[in-house]
Every structure is written in structure tokens, then in C-alpha cells.
Amino acid sequence: MKIGLVDDRFIDLEKLAGIVSSIPGVEIVFSTESATEAYEQIKKQTIDLLIADIEMPNLSGYELADIIHSHALNIAVIFVTANSGYAVHAFELNVHDYIMKPYTRERLITSIERLMEKTRSSEIAGRLYIKRKNDIHIIQKKDIIFIERSGRSTTIFTKSGPIKTYHTLNELEGELRERDFIRSHRSYIINIHYVKNFSLYAKNSYVVTFEGIEEKAMITKEKVGFLQENYF
């Protein structure tokens, strides 16, 4: 699990880092006293969990969580704060936990381990079952980069390589109801978390490039507007 830490008090940030770094299976991607810097890191790097103080200068932890929630980013949030006044609003943002300072080491570790277990459970459920002649191919949904329909066959481009199937895009779209996936074009479904760039192709369409692969997809101008309004 990749974790980002932000607290404007250095001593509190050091405590967070010390506890989190002791948990097996976690990686601290960034640790900063600036919420603005944390926001920049979130835009550049992938994290699974943000642990944040709430009341900080310039940009607050609550505002960071609101950005994550409103942009539908797949990042859990734990607030670690001395202020109880945000608790109700925080849970409206679907934060994972709200921990009051001063807190014990065990309290934070238990919260993170509970999230890790929840994440493992959701990953097990997040699978796509593709029938291919006499066998069934099982694909982790989170590994799907994009899907292309060409002629009578469909190619599912994943982190480990392409997989051919005769399932239609309409059939696959029904299986991929997560917000990560959108029907970007009549011939494509894309996973927004792998998108690297949109390049104008024609008046009403763009070419999509992705992290990790050379293959490209297409997206309509209307769908780019939809993404800008609802995701980015």
C-alpha cells in the first residue's frame, strides 16, 4: 500500500512516519508539512492512502479530502487531528477514519491494517471472467488499461499484455461499472487511471496515450469534456 503523509507540525509528521514505516507491506511515497505540496504530489504520483491533519495554512486537509472525493480519485483518507469539529463533514466525504490527537501507535496501525484488509477483499471481487473456447481467463479489473473493439473481436490491453475475446464492448461495459472505466468512443473503453495524454486527432476526437504501453485509444470531444468536469 502506497501512503502519503501531510501535517504542518514537524513533530506530528515524524510520529506519523515512524509508525507507518513500521507496518509491513506499506511504502511512504511522500511526507510533507505542506498541504499544497501534498496536492502536487497526489497529481504526480499514485497513492492508495492519504493521512492528513485537517487545519493547516493555505490548503487544509479537509480541502484535500474534498478534492479527492469530488474528483473520484481512488485514494482513501485518514484524518489525524486535534479538532473534532470536522467529524460529521469528514464522513460525508467518505473518509476511512477520523483519529483524534493524541493517539496511540496501536490506534493508527489498526486503522491502516483494517483498510489494507478491506482493499484486499475488494481486489478479489474486482475480477473480469473472459470465456475463451474451452477455458476461462480471469483478469484483475485494476490491471485493465483499455479495451478496443475491431471488426468482430475485442482486445483487452492489460499491464501484462493483450487478451483477445469475442465479447462485445456492450457486454464488457456492463461488467465494468466502476468509475475507473468510461466508454470513451464507440470502439473503446478506457481506464482513466492509466491515461497520460490527450492529443487532438480530428475536430471531434482525440488520441489517448497511456502509461506503460505504446498502444493508443480514441476519445470523443464530448467525453473529454465529461472527464474534465467529473474526474480531473
Side-chain angles (χ1 to χ4, degrees), residues 197-209:
N197 185 55
F198 299 124
S199 299
L200 188 63
Y201 176 75
K203 183 179 179 181
N204 293 311
S205 61
Y206 291 78
V207 173
V208 188
T209 56

Side-chain angles (χ1 to χ4, degrees), residues 94 110 113 123 178 182 195 213:
N94 198 32
T110 299
E113 288 180 340
E123 285 181 354
E178 294 82 358
I182 70 161
V195 172
I213 61 172

Side-chain angles (χ1 to χ4, degrees), residues 19-37:
I19 295 172
V20 172
S21 63
S22 71
I23 303 173
V26 307
E27 173 192 350
I28 297 176
V29 175
F30 64 82
S31 178
T32 177
E33 296 172 64
S34 166
T36 303
E37 172 62 22

Side-chain angles (χ1 to χ4, degrees), residues 121-139:
S121 298
S122 65
E123 285 181 354
I124 291 171
R127 295 180 178 183
L128 194 63
Y129 295 84
I130 301 297
K131 292 181 180 178
R132 293 174 32 167
K133 294 184 179 180
N134 295 324
D135 62 290
I136 297 175
H137 202 95
I138 302 171
I139 307 170

Side-chain angles (χ1 to χ4, degrees), residues 71-96:
H71 289 196
L73 301 178
N74 190 27
I75 301 173
V77 176
I78 294 176
F79 282 137
V80 179
T81 178
N83 192 321
S84 63
Y86 291 89
V88 173
H89 297 299
F91 285 103
E92 289 175 356
L93 297 179
N94 198 32
V95 302
H96 173 67

Side-chain angles (χ1 to χ4, degrees), residues 5-56:
L5 309 176
V6 57
D7 195 309
D8 64 320
R9 293 190 64 207
F10 178 75
I11 189 170
D12 288 342
L13 187 64
E14 285 286 283
K15 178 180 178 180
L16 276 176
I19 295 172
V20 172
S21 63
S22 71
I23 303 173
V26 307
E27 173 192 350
I28 297 176
V29 175
F30 64 82
S31 178
T32 177
E33 296 172 64
S34 166
T36 303
E37 172 62 22
Y39 175 55
E40 293 301 319
Q41 292 293 331
I42 287 170
K43 291 194 293 183
K44 292 188 296 185
Q45 305 194 68
T46 300
I47 63 170
D48 305 299
L49 168 64
L50 176 70
I51 304 178
D53 190 13
I54 291 182
E55 292 188 329
M56 293 180 285

